[in-house]
Amino acid sequence: MSTLGIIGAGHIGSQVARAAIATGYDVVISNSRGPETLADLVTELGPKARAATAAGAGEAGDVVVVTVPLKAIEQVPVEPLAGKIVIDTNNYYFERDGHIAALDEGTDTVSEMLQRHLPTSRVAKGFNHIMAKDITEDALPAGDPKRRALATSSDFDDASTFVEKLYDEFGFDTVNVGPLADSWRVERDRPAYVVRQSKAELVENLAKAPRTV
Ligand SMILES: NC(=O)c1ccc[n+]([C@@H]2O[C@H](COP(=O)([O-])OP(=O)(O)OC[C@H]3O[C@@H](n4cnc5c(N)ncnc54)[C@H](OP(=O)(O)O)[C@@H]3O)[C@@H](O)[C@H]2O)c1
């Protein structure tokens, strides 16, 4: 795995790109408006980055990060991501995405929605409960007692294992929530959401999460 494809170049996509390049990956990044609109970001990221269409970023990535507003996931290209690990950073904001009854009622999860849209990919939750700026600002070496922990979740062991490796390379510990059906524990407004927490604190916060908020 050497190239990270990134679909979405906003707050999270650009920060994941910065951390990935600092860690040694190549990055192919995309947005909805076209690669030419990403010239400034690519210049900042340097020679290990290039811009592409969403399909191009999907094709180029050994692993692909989907980091668009939830309302846009139906537009994420399916075929270029087939057979690949896909990292899902997405959260549900009804104010932005419109109301989705199954999420409001607690009978579905954001990541299961993406997994259904990408049936030939292996989706793992990642980077959804950290503010974008903290991806680079909160990183600490393994073993540091102040190291922050982040959650992942997947129906595929190799996908959650990859996120754990990437978190470690970026400077974070991992707690695995289990299958995507349980990923609501780290969704918006739960105790683990966008707070700085150690691995032990994250385990506690995940355990006390209510199913609906
Ligand atoms: N901001 C945070 O701190 C944070 C933290 C954790 C998780 N999240 C979640 O992560 C996701 C991304 O958040 P964000 O804050 O990075 O969003 P953002 O700043 O609004 O950026 C969204 C990006 O997605 C692109 N995009 C939209 N539709 C697309 C499509 N159909 N194909 C390709 N690219 C498309 C946009 O491109 P254009 O600009 O060209 O339209 C933009 O680059 C959201 O679900 C959010 O809730 C955000």
Side-chain angles (χ1 to χ4, degrees):
M1 152 71 201
S2 61
T3 300
L4 206 59
I6 305 181
I7 297 178
H11 295 94
I12 291 283
S14 59
Q15 277 290 79
V16 169
R18 290 183 186 103
I21 283 174
T23 311
Y25 293 100
D26 293 324
V27 161
V28 180
I29 191 162
S30 61
N31 63 5
S32 76
R33 286 166 293 151
E36 65 283 358
T37 65
L38 292 169
D40 288 349
L41 178 63
V42 167
T43 300
E44 178 212 317
L45 292 171
K48 288 178 75 63
R50 68 177 172 89
T53 61
E59 277 159 20
D62 299 307
V63 168
V64 181
V65 180
V66 172
T67 183
V68 300
L70 180 60
K71 65 182 176 188
I73 63 167
E74 292 296 321
Q75 289 145 35
V76 171
V78 176
E79 190 50 37
L81 278 55
K84 297 182 181 178
I85 292 170
V86 171
I87 302 176
D88 170 37
T89 79
N90 303 297
N91 293 308
Y92 169 47
Y93 279 83
F94 63 83
E95 304 91 334
R96 177 193 64 196
D97 302 315
H99 275 283
I100 299 170
L103 295 178
D104 291 333
E105 292 159 9
T107 56
D108 203 358
T109 63
V110 169
S111 288
E112 286 176 291
M113 290 176 61
L114 185 65
Q115 181 67 79
R116 285 196 299 276
H117 176 66
L118 300 172
T120 51
S121 301
R122 304 189 301 289
V123 170
K125 193 107 214 153
F127 302 103
N128 82 298
H129 70 118
I130 178 169
M131 295 301 292
K133 69 175 179 52
D134 295 340
I135 293 173
T136 52
E137 290 182 4
D138 269 1
L140 286 171
D144 190 304
K146 294 201 175 114
R147 202 183 207 209
R148 181 170 176 170
L150 298 174
T152 189
S153 167
S154 182
D155 296 340
F156 300 92
D157 287 346
D158 68 333
S160 47
T161 298
F162 178 79
V163 173
E164 181 167 358
K165 173 177 172 288
L166 194 66
Y167 279 165
D168 187 51
E169 290 169 340
F170 282 13
F172 301 93
D173 286 337
T174 302
V175 177
N176 190 339
V177 179
L180 295 180
D182 292 339
S183 60
W184 55 267
R185 290 186 180 277
V186 73
E187 287 183 351
R188 179 187 177 183
D189 294 341
R190 295 342 189 271
Y193 194 64
V194 296
V195 294
R196 199 183 194 295
Q197 57 215 311
S198 67
K199 193 167 180 171
E201 289 165 339
L202 177 52
V203 168
E204 274 177 34
N205 283 333
L206 291 167
K208 65 186 182 200
R211 180 63 186 91
T212 55
V213 288

